[in-house]
Amino acid sequence: MPGFDYKFLEKPKRRFQCPLCNKAMREPVQVSTCGHRFCDTCLQEFLRLQIQRSYGSEGFTATLKGFVRNFEITVLQANSPSLPLEGVFKCPEDQLPLDYAKIYPDPDLEQQILSLSIRCIHSEEGCRWTGQMKQLQSHFSTCAFNVIPCPNRCAIKLTRRDLPDHLQHDCPKRKVKCEFCGNEFTGEAYENHQGICPQESVYCENKCGARMMRRLLSQHSLAECPKRTQPCKYCGKEFVYDTIQNHQYHCPRFPVQCPNQCNALNVAREDLASHLKESCGSALVLCPFKDAGCKHRCPKVAMGRHLEDTSKAHLTLMCSLVSRQRQEIQELRREVEELSVSHDGVLIWKISDYSRKLQEAKLRNNYEFFSPPFYTHKYGYKLQVSAFLNGNGSGEGTHLSIYIRVLPGEYDSLLEWPFSYKVTFSILDQSDPSLSKPQHITETFNPDPNWKNFQKPGSSRNSLDESTLGFGYPKFISHEEIKKRNYIRDNAIFLKASIEIPQKIIA
């Protein structure tokens, strides 16, 4: 290797420097013929290059032994004996012929060079050592910045000053003694041992505050810890141990005693209501005819006897109930009809299946059909139209007769009497307006205030009373006239009644 490349305290003198590498000579040798000195390895490399230039590189191998160690140079040629090298070498300094047999080590010069003062090679890292070059190796044995292998053979190299910390904390092959169980481990094994040492003192994981050796923790968590979780033996849900007793006061599956002290055992709390209602033989129950009025109450097991003994009384109660319900139904029907009644003073009444109803009217004398009731206006008079399809009075057998009557209404006490507003009857022509103009037949009259029909009606008035026949037209339209246009269409006719009410009354 070339000369020394250390940091000298003083620059080495020129006579200590190798002319080939310009560094302080390492293992210096002297050419006796000219007196020049070189590094042993530098001169070897120089001579090797001279051999290659002289003999070529193909087929030759140069074997060089150092001048310091019995200098010898041999050039070997394939399948040829060794060849002499006289005249091949020249001194690299003055280019004069060089006798390779007269190159010798220079130990005196080497000692002078090794006595030169240098700085440690780790000076840039912080080492402040200075001394003779020959003392450098011994300094390395103590230098804090020198890189050395770990003595535990862990394959890590580090500076000597970092070694104590490495040996104590980081070396995977260091010896570490567990402070809890006292066993020794390598550093790597100790890292695995930490957190599982059975002798280490730890707090309960359930945060109950207890502290114990890790080997006792499992038993504590299973049987002793007040914060351990435990399933309720009735509903199976998990609870903290110190709250499970309070849970049992509310647990839906906790067994409770029937309050009627029947023979049922261990009824779940959530099933108690169902048990009392359906299963408990001692539960007091109401008679199934309670809605009919029976107020009897007895244990469920005795209810059968009660039903047998009071069947006639129950039948009487049911008849009374049916009667009341019939009245309620009639009242509801009346209220529904009131809701569906027109309140704008106009009635359009469709009489379907006209031909059948006409034949029926012909077979039954004075057979009258009634329209739905309607009101003249909101909170007004309640009216109804009736029709004799086969006529009535002077129109019987030849005409359709139409009448209007006043019915008892909800607001009669608020109205003026007698009824005195203009009434208009129409039978509507159902012809298509796009083909021909409809020709409705219309009749109008003003009520006579002296007629009984238009006085305030009594609550008992009904449609069969002759005085309530109403006022109208016995000969409203003849049977022949009604057939001329589309007054009958799809076997139906439309009769219209409208009441002319002054706007101030409606308002």
Side-chain angles (χ1 to χ4, degrees), residues 405-436:
R405 72 186 66 196
V406 179
L407 299 180
E410 294 291 329
Y411 315 105
D412 288 350
S413 298
L414 306 176
L415 301 173
E416 294 181 359
W417 296 98
F419 175 77
S420 60
Y421 300 106
K422 183 186 293 186
V423 178
T424 300
F425 289 126
S426 301
I427 183 168
L428 303 182
D429 183 1
Q430 301 178 57
S431 299
D432 188 346
S434 63
L435 300 178
S436 63

Side-chain angles (χ1 to χ4, degrees), residues 176-240:
V176 184
K177 186 175 183 180
C178 177
E179 62 178 310
F180 304 111
C181 65
N183 294 331
E184 276 198 352
F185 301 89
T186 62
E188 190 174 15
Y190 180 69
E191 290 178 2
N192 296 328
H193 175 71
Q194 285 180 311
I196 62 172
C197 178
Q199 300 296 108
E200 183 180 359
S201 179
V202 294
Y203 282 103
C204 173
E205 296 174 347
N206 296 329
K207 299 181 180 181
C208 71
R211 187 170 183 172
M212 67 209 73
M213 287 187 289
R214 182 177 278 108
R215 63 185 178 84
L216 303 176
L217 188 60
S218 177
Q219 175 64 22
H220 168 78
S221 298
L222 290 174
E224 301 168 4
C225 178
K227 297 293 184 183
R228 68 188 184 274
T229 57
Q230 181 172 326
C232 172
K233 63 180 179 180
Y234 304 110
C235 67
K237 293 182 179 179
E238 294 275 343
F239 294 91
V240 177

Side-chain angles (χ1 to χ4, degrees), residues 11-300:
K11 185 177 180 179
K13 296 178 181 179
R14 184 175 180 80
R15 66 189 186 89
F16 295 147
Q17 296 179 7
C18 172
L20 294 174
C21 67
N22 295 319
K23 298 178 181 178
M25 285 181 278
R26 186 192 300 271
E27 296 180 344
V29 295
Q30 184 178 20
V31 180
S32 60
T33 54
C34 62
H36 293 125
R37 296 176 176 85
F38 307 92
C39 294
D40 180 13
T41 54
C42 290
L43 186 57
Q44 289 180 50
E45 179 65 15
F46 179 78
L47 297 180
R48 185 182 66 81
L49 293 175
Q50 281 193 342
I51 293 173
Q52 284 187 349
R53 285 195 295 270
S54 299
Y55 291 93
S57 58
E58 293 184 3
F60 292 92
T61 301
T63 302
L64 290 81
K65 294 184 179 179
F67 301 106
V68 177
R69 302 174 184 82
N70 301 319
F71 170 74
E72 178 184 351
I73 296 180
T74 306
V75 177
L76 301 178
Q77 184 177 12
N79 301 318
S80 300
S82 299
L83 298 175
L85 299 175
E86 288 83 351
V88 172
F89 303 119
K90 292 181 180 180
C91 175
E93 186 71 5
D94 55 16
Q95 301 301 312
L96 295 176
L98 182 153
D99 187 352
Y100 64 84
K102 295 182 179 180
I103 300 174
Y104 303 101
D106 192 340
D108 292 336
L109 181 61
E110 183 176 17
Q111 288 302 316
Q112 294 178 43
I113 294 173
L114 293 176
S115 298
L116 295 176
S117 296
I118 61 171
R119 298 182 187 277
C120 177
I121 61 173
H122 302 296
S123 60
E124 292 185 357
E125 286 88 356
C127 182
R128 297 182 179 181
W129 178 88
T130 59
Q132 293 180 348
M133 194 188 307
K134 59 187 175 183
Q135 298 171 338
L136 181 61
Q137 291 302 320
S138 61
H139 164 68
F140 282 160
S141 62
T142 59
C143 179
F145 296 92
N146 196 35
V147 177
I148 57 175
C150 174
N152 292 334
R153 299 180 181 177
C154 72
I156 293 178
K157 293 183 179 182
L158 67 168
T159 61
R160 182 175 279 106
R161 68 172 184 168
D162 295 332
L163 184 61
D165 187 67
H166 169 74
L167 292 175
Q168 184 176 359
H169 301 292
D170 302 326
C171 180
K173 294 190 177 182
R174 71 189 185 280
K175 295 295 181 182
V176 184
K177 186 175 183 180
C178 177
E179 62 178 310
F180 304 111
C181 65
N183 294 331
E184 276 198 352
F185 301 89
T186 62
E188 190 174 15
Y190 180 69
E191 290 178 2
N192 296 328
H193 175 71
Q194 285 180 311
I196 62 172
C197 178
Q199 300 296 108
E200 183 180 359
S201 179
V202 294
Y203 282 103
C204 173
E205 296 174 347
N206 296 329
K207 299 181 180 181
C208 71
R211 187 170 183 172
M212 67 209 73
M213 287 187 289
R214 182 177 278 108
R215 63 185 178 84
L216 303 176
L217 188 60
S218 177
Q219 175 64 22
H220 168 78
S221 298
L222 290 174
E224 301 168 4
C225 178
K227 297 293 184 183
R228 68 188 184 274
T229 57
Q230 181 172 326
C232 172
K233 63 180 179 180
Y234 304 110
C235 67
K237 293 182 179 179
E238 294 275 343
F239 294 91
V240 177
Y241 179 77
D242 59 5
T243 65
I244 196 167
Q245 186 172 5
N246 183 59
H247 158 73
Q248 290 178 354
Y249 290 114
H250 309 282
C251 177
R253 301 306 302 168
F254 187 82
V256 295
Q257 187 176 6
C258 175
N260 296 325
Q261 298 183 349
C262 67
N263 295 327
L265 300 176
N266 299 329
V267 180
R269 181 178 280 117
E270 66 179 355
D271 297 335
L272 183 59
S274 175
H275 166 75
L276 292 174
K277 183 177 180 180
E278 301 174 3
S279 307
C280 181
S282 300
L284 293 177
V285 293
L286 292 172
C287 175
F289 293 94
K290 61 183 182 297
D291 293 335
C294 182
K295 298 181 179 180
H296 183 75
R297 186 173 182 171
C298 65
K300 184 180 291 187

